[in-house]
Amino acid sequence: MCGIVGYIGREEAAPILLYGLERLEYRGYDSAGIAVYDKGKLNVAKAVGKLKNLCELTDNGAKVSGCIGIGHTRWATHGQPSTDNSHPHLSGSGKIAIVHNGIVENYMKIREMLLSEGFTFKSETDTEVAVQLIEYYYKGNLLEAVSKAVDKIEGSYAFGVISSDHPDELIAVRKESPLIVAYGETGNFIASDITAVLKYTRNVAYLEDGDIAVVKKDGVKFYNSYLKEIQREKAYIDWDVEDAQREGYQHFMLKEIYEQPKVVKNTLSAHIKDGRIDLSDTLLTPEYCREIKRISIIGCGSAYHVGVVGKYLLEKYTRIPTEAVLASEFRYTDPIIDNHTLVIVISQSGETADTRAALREAKSLGARTLAIVNVVGSSIAKEADSVIYTLAGPEIAVATTKAYSAQLAVMYLITTALSSTRGLISAAEYDEVLAEMLRIPGKIETVLSDREQLQHLASMYFNNSSIFFIGRNLDYAISLEGSLKLKEISYIHSEAYAGGELKHGTISLIEPETLVVAVATCEKLFDKIISNVKEVKAREANVLCITQNKSFNAASAVTDNVFTIPNTHEMLTPSLAAIPLQLFAYYVALDRGCDIDKPRNLAKSVTVE
Ligand code: AGP
C-alpha cells in the first residue's frame, strides 16, 4: 500500500516530506517522489528503489525549495516500478500535481475519454488519469475541479493535490484509503497514517469516506462530496510510532487478517467488469483455454496450499487433469510437461528460489506459464509468460494471510473463466458464482466479527503439545493451511490429514484430550468427515469443527466446539474456512507469548533453495 505525506506552512517542505516518507517505509514500496511549489512552478523529484535514492537526488531536500509540497512512496499495482510510473504525477500543463493511495477501477474508461479530448499520458498508471481528469475540469477553482473529478472516479483512493495556481492550499480527498490531516505549529500536514507526522504533532483529524479537506498553513476546512462545509473532530494521538504503523493492532499479522475483506474485494474487482470475468490481459485467451491439456500448479508453503485448492477446483469445474506440486519437488521429478501444459506458479513475494527455479524448468520443457504474484516487478512476475497480480499490498507479517486469501480469489476467477470457456458451467451458474464471489468480502467481515469465540478456543488449547487438522477435498486443502499457520507462529506440532487417511496409521497418535480440528464445509462430504470425527472421538479426542451455518446442528451433535462460517457456494468455502484457522493460530501464539510477526527460524521470502 502506498504512502502519502503533504505539508503547507512556514518551513521548507522537502525535508519534512522526506522525513515523513521515511516513517512510511514500513508500508513497503518500490519508488518514491516529492513535488514542491516554488516561485510559480511545481518542482518534481522521483527515484526508483529505496528512499535514500530520492534523498541523494535532492540532497536531502535542499535542492527542492518551497513551503508547500506532497510526497509519496509507491507500491506498484498498475505499471512496473519506474520514474515515469512513480508519484507525484503532473497534469499535462504541469500546474497540478497528485499523489494517490488506492485503485481507480474505471481508469481505462476515463483515460479513453481524455485521450479523445486530446490529453496525452506519460505513464501506465491509474493515478495520472486522475490528475488529468482534475485538469479537464479545472476552470480556475481547484476545489471544484477536484470535486468534479472524484465524482467520476470509481474505486478506493486517498489523494493529495497541489497546484501552482493555488500555492496557498493543499487538497486532500479520501474514499476507503485512510488519510489524516495533522495540525502542526509551523504549518499543517496530510498523511496516510500518523507515523509520518508524529515528530511534529499528535493533533489530527481523520477524513471520512467522501471528505475533501482544503489544508492551508493557518487552518483546515472540510467539505462533503457536495462541497458543503462540514466539521471533523480533532483527536490527540498517544500511540508511539510502532503502534501507529500497525494502526493500533497488536501485530501486523492481525492487521493483515483484518485487511482481507478489502484485499479480496480489490483483487476480484480488478478482473470483473460488467458482470463478466476479464482475464484478457493474461495468456488465458478463449482460444488458449480450449487448448490446455494439463495444468500444474506450483508453489511453496501457503502458496502450495492454494495450489491444492486449485487442483480440486480446476478438475471439478474444467475437467482438465490438474496437479498441485511443491516447487522444491517439481524440479527433481522429471515432470511430464509439454506445450499443452499450463503451469501456474503462485508466490506472494515473487522471489522464492524454489518456485523461481521450478518456473524456469517448466518453461524449458515448453509449458506456457502464468504467475499469481503479489509484488509487481518481482523476478517470478517478470520471468513468467503472463502474470495476475494479487492486490494485497505489502505483507509485513512472515505468516501470510491476506496474500493467501487474494491468491484464492484469483484461483476462483481462473476456474470460473476456464470452466465457462470450455462450456462446462451454465450461464446461470456462472452468474451465481460471480455474484457470490462478490459477497465473499462481506462474509469474511462476518467471520472476523466472531473473533472472541476463537480467542476463547485458543485459551483452551494453547498448551496442547500437538494439534491435528482433518478435512476432505477442499477442506483438506484448508487443513493444510490451518496446520501450517499454527505451526509457524505458535511452534506447536501439528499435522493436517485427509480425513479418510487418518485411520491408516496416524490415528494411533490420537490420545484423550488431543485436539483435532475438523474442517467440514464441503456439504457433499459432510457425513464422511463426521464419521472421521467419530473415529477420533472414540479415542477421546477433543474436536473443534469448522462448518457452514447450515450444518451447525449436525456438527454440534458430535463435536465439542463448533465455529460456523456463513453459507456460501461450494467453490468458495476456502476463503471463509481459512479465516477462523488464521485467528485460532494467532490467539494460540499470543497466549504462548510467541513473536508472531517474526517467528523463529523463518523469513518472509525464502530466496535460497
Ligand atoms: C506462509 O505463511 C509462509 N510464510 C511460507 O510458507 C510462504 O507461503 C512460502 O515461503 C512461499 O512464499 P511466497 O508465496 O513468497 O513464494
Side-chain angles (χ1 to χ4, degrees), residues 72 145 197 246 407 454 563:
H72 187 266
V197 297
R246 292 189 301 266
Q407 291 161 2
L454 292 152
F563 184 94

Side-chain angles (χ1 to χ4, degrees), residues 21 29-34 45-47 49 51 54 72-74 86-87:
L21 294 180
Y29 67 102
D30 44 56
S31 59
I34 59 174
K46 306 197 270 192
L51 187 62
L54 183 62
H72 187 266
T73 48
R74 178 175 184 247
S86 53
H87 307 201

